[in-house]
């Protein structure tokens, strides 16, 4: 697969970012944390790790350890992760620069994540990354990704209507999140940071890039932005999606 498309520009009224795998990469920290938690609750950590990325912890626990599937436990458990393993997380290349540009332009953006509020707040604090005015976290919705409710709620928090959905960009790395963004009626940019390109492609995002170094803000007006996307995966649909 080749990431060779020439630069092209697309305008959006708002941006909705997933957190892990899109803004930060906490894979090493998550592996360590689930190893500890798995041993505590008597579940093989490898079983958890095979299906945990992009899914809410409470949904995982409902299947694997129902007695622990409550918000008090999940919020406490996830809140410890950045405190104990903060040094193991890194930024997704290009993420900080894009967020800084959006903030400077007073653009509409927020984070829509499968993590709890203590987890998200902890990572943003540890990584010294900007916190949006509104957050959509695991506690915000009854069902996690690939259910589209989280991204519908994210769009609403930006003050945008259902009719604006095709002009909202979801930035995601997990197949479940990509499917959620598409089901919400948004355009989706898939990142190949946590899953193979084949798995990202199978989820059918509008564009696919390696990371956020391929995304630059080149214009802003009225809370909306124009992005330049370069070095995207060359697919038969990539060109059509830009028209």
């Amino acid at each position: 697969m080749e990431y060779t498309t020439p630069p092209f520009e697309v305008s959006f009224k708002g941006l909705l970012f997933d957190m892990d795998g899109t803004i930060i990469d906490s894979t090493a920290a998550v592996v360590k944390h689930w190893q500890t938690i798995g041993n505590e609750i008597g579940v093989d950590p490898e079983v958890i790790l095979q299906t945990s990325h992009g899914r809410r912890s409470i949904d995982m626990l409902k299947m694997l350890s129902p007695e622990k599937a409550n918000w008090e436990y999940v919020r406490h458990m996830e809140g410890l992760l950045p405190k104990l393993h903060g040094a193991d997380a890194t930024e997704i290349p290009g993420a900080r620069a894009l967020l800084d540009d959006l903030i400077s332009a007073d653009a509409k953006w927020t984070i829509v994540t499968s993590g709890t509020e203590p987890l998200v707040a902890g990572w943003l604090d540890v990584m010294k990354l900007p916190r949006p005015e509104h957050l959509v976290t695991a506690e915000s919705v009854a069902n996690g990704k690939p259910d589209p409710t989280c991204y519908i709620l994210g769009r609403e928090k930006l003050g945008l209507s259902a009719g604006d959905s095709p002009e909202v960009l979801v930035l995601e790395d997990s197949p479940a999140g990509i499917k959620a963004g598409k089901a919400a009626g948004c355009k989706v940019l898939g990142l190949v940071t946590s899953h193979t390109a084949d798995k990202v492609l199978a989820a059918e995002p509008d564009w696919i890039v390696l990371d956020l170094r391929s995304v630059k803000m080149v214009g802003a007006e009225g809370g909306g932005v124009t992005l330049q996307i370069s070095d995207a995966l060359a697919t038969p649909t990539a060109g059509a999606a830009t028209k």
Side-chain angles (χ1 to χ4, degrees):
M1 294 186 178
E2 297 182 347
Y3 297 84
T4 56
T5 62
F8 58 90
E9 295 182 2
V10 196
S11 295
F12 300 100
K13 292 183 177 180
L15 274 63
L16 302 174
F17 288 80
D18 173 50
M19 182 74 175
D20 201 4
T22 302
I23 296 176
I24 68 167
D25 179 359
S26 67
T27 302
V30 169
V31 168
K32 290 181 179 178
H33 196 58
W34 275 121
Q35 286 173 341
T36 300
I37 299 301
N39 291 330
E40 286 180 1
I41 65 178
V43 177
D44 185 350
E46 291 304 315
V47 173
I48 299 173
L49 291 167
Q50 285 171 7
T51 54
S52 63
H53 190 86
R55 301 181 66 184
R56 301 187 306 173
S57 294
I58 198 163
D59 295 328
M60 293 292 300
L61 291 171
K62 284 177 182 177
M63 296 186 298
L64 301 174
S65 184
E67 70 278 5
K68 295 293 187 182
N70 62 80
W71 286 120
E72 181 180 4
Y73 174 78
V74 172
R75 285 171 57 87
H76 171 73
M77 178 265 289
E78 289 196 352
L80 290 175
L81 204 164
K83 296 177 183 177
L84 298 176
H85 305 295
D88 292 305
T90 59
E91 295 177 18
I92 295 297
R96 184 183 295 272
L98 180 57
L99 292 177
D100 286 346
D101 286 346
L102 294 174
I103 292 168
S104 296
D106 199 24
K108 293 183 177 181
W109 72 282
T110 195
I111 293 172
V112 179
T113 176
S114 297
T116 58
E117 195 281 334
L119 177 65
V120 179
W123 279 129
L124 294 177
D125 182 54
V126 167
M127 305 292 289
K128 293 181 172 55
L129 286 162
R131 177 171 177 146
E133 182 180 357
H134 307 289
L135 282 173
V136 177
T137 62
E139 305 98 317
S140 304
V141 294
N143 298 302
K145 304 169 184 177
D147 187 281
T149 305
C150 57
Y151 281 117
I152 293 172
L153 181 58
R155 185 222 340 122
E156 291 173 349
K157 285 182 176 290
L158 296 184
L160 300 173
S161 68
D164 294 319
S165 295
E167 296 180 82
V168 174
L169 180 65
V170 166
L171 299 94
E172 263 281 3
D173 67 300
S174 75
I178 292 168
K179 291 176 182 177
K182 293 299 294 181
C186 303
K187 290 289 191 290
V188 179
L189 178 74
L191 279 68
V192 185
T193 54
S194 63
H195 293 76
T196 65
D198 285 334
K199 290 183 178 179
V200 173
L201 185 61
E204 301 184 335
D206 295 276
W207 307 283
I208 299 174
V209 296
L210 287 173
D211 56 46
L212 291 179
R213 286 176 293 187
S214 291
V215 183
K216 302 280 192 300
M217 192 190 79
V218 294
E221 184 177 357
V225 297
T226 298
L227 301 179
Q228 182 190 81
I229 301 174
S230 59
D231 297 324
L233 182 65
T235 66
T237 59
T242 66
K243 296 178 181 178

